[in-house]
Amino acid sequence: MDKTIQAAGLRCPQPIIETKKALDAMEEGVVTTIVDNPDAVENLMVFSRNSGYTANHTKIEDLYHVTIEKRKLSACELAVNSKSLVILIASNVFGQGSDELGENLMKSYIYALTEVEPKPQTLIFMNKGVIFTTEISEVKDSIKQLEEAGVEIISCGTCLSYYGLSEQLIAGKVSNMYTISEKMNQAERVIRI
């Protein structure tokens, strides 16, 4: 089953999300995503590599056609893809530089987590990152969606207290440094944001 997605003009990460939805809906086949800029091409190529798909791209006039092939995974490949992953979010900004840009990138990242597979096993929020699990969060719907999808949500209790947010937690549970350290040590992979 082959599918074409018209993603020209869509902002990041929407072309990847639409492509992923199409790939998820098929057992195997080819998805061609049409985008209008080199950054979207690179993002789709990275997504393809990280997901274990084969991909290539061509430019036709002013548009780029990114073709991604999905095949059935072997039992060994499935086991590798399902390793436990813990993501530590220790800030309300993604990366260094402009705080405004970093805040927008972080919101986009948390939203993207609701769409990617496999989902992380655990999300740990520390320092100013704890704002995302509280009532003042601009991504609280995404956090709740991740929790409903089975992702364990943990917030540092000391951090919530420091920022005066202890009474505003809306998702997950409050934890301590011992439990957080234990979760990170037991994980097969830990990503710090």
Side-chain angles (χ1 to χ4, degrees):
M1 175 172 114
D2 295 346
K3 180 162 183 152
T4 300
I5 296 171
Q6 298 290 340
L10 296 183
R11 293 182 57 176
C12 176
Q14 209 59 43
I16 291 174
I17 290 169
E18 296 303 318
T19 302
K20 182 190 173 305
K21 285 179 182 176
L23 289 162
D24 288 347
M26 62 176 60
E27 197 169 321
E28 56 186 343
V30 174
V31 172
T32 301
T33 304
I34 301 171
V35 294
D36 57 3
N37 65 81
D39 290 338
V41 173
E42 180 60 25
N43 291 339
L44 285 163
M45 296 300 288
V46 169
F47 159 75
S48 300
R49 283 192 300 271
N50 291 343
S51 301
Y53 301 133
T54 303
N56 60 59
H57 60 89
T58 56
K59 186 174 183 184
I60 302 173
E61 296 179 8
D62 292 334
L63 297 174
Y64 300 87
H65 294 238
V66 181
T67 304
I68 302 171
E69 182 182 0
K70 178 180 181 180
R71 60 178 176 75
K72 289 183 182 178
L73 295 178
S74 68
C76 182
E77 290 168 318
L78 286 169
V80 168
N81 286 342
S82 65
K83 289 184 176 180
S84 72
L85 169 64
V86 170
I87 299 176
L88 170 65
I89 297 178
S91 176
N92 64 323
V93 296
F94 196 114
Q96 297 176 341
S98 163
D99 283 348
E100 181 182 357
L101 174 60
E103 287 176 13
N104 289 332
L105 291 173
M106 185 64 85
K107 290 177 210 170
S108 181
Y109 175 73
I110 290 173
Y111 169 70
L113 286 176
T114 66
E115 299 292 333
V116 299
E117 291 295 340
K119 298 270 185 280
Q121 179 180 338
T122 305
L123 287 176
I124 299 172
F125 294 87
M126 295 187 70
N127 208 322
K128 206 161 185 185
V130 296
I131 67 168
F132 294 118
T133 61
T134 67
E135 292 173 1
I136 65 170
S137 171
E138 293 183 40
V139 292
K140 58 186 165 196
D141 291 340
S142 294
I143 297 294
K144 288 178 180 176
Q145 187 178 341
L146 286 162
E147 186 174 35
E148 288 167 8
V151 177
E152 181 181 30
I153 308 291
I154 295 175
S155 294
C156 164
T158 302
C159 305
L160 287 165
S161 294
Y162 180 85
Y163 290 108
L165 298 171
S166 297
E167 302 301 316
Q168 297 186 43
L169 191 71
I170 50 95
K173 62 185 177 186
V174 178
S175 194
N176 55 61
M177 192 57 73
Y178 180 85
T179 301
I180 289 169
S181 299
E182 192 174 53
K183 291 280 181 190
M184 293 173 68
N185 287 348
Q186 292 172 354
E188 294 183 35
R189 290 184 297 152
V190 177
I191 297 174
R192 183 187 186 280
I193 306 294

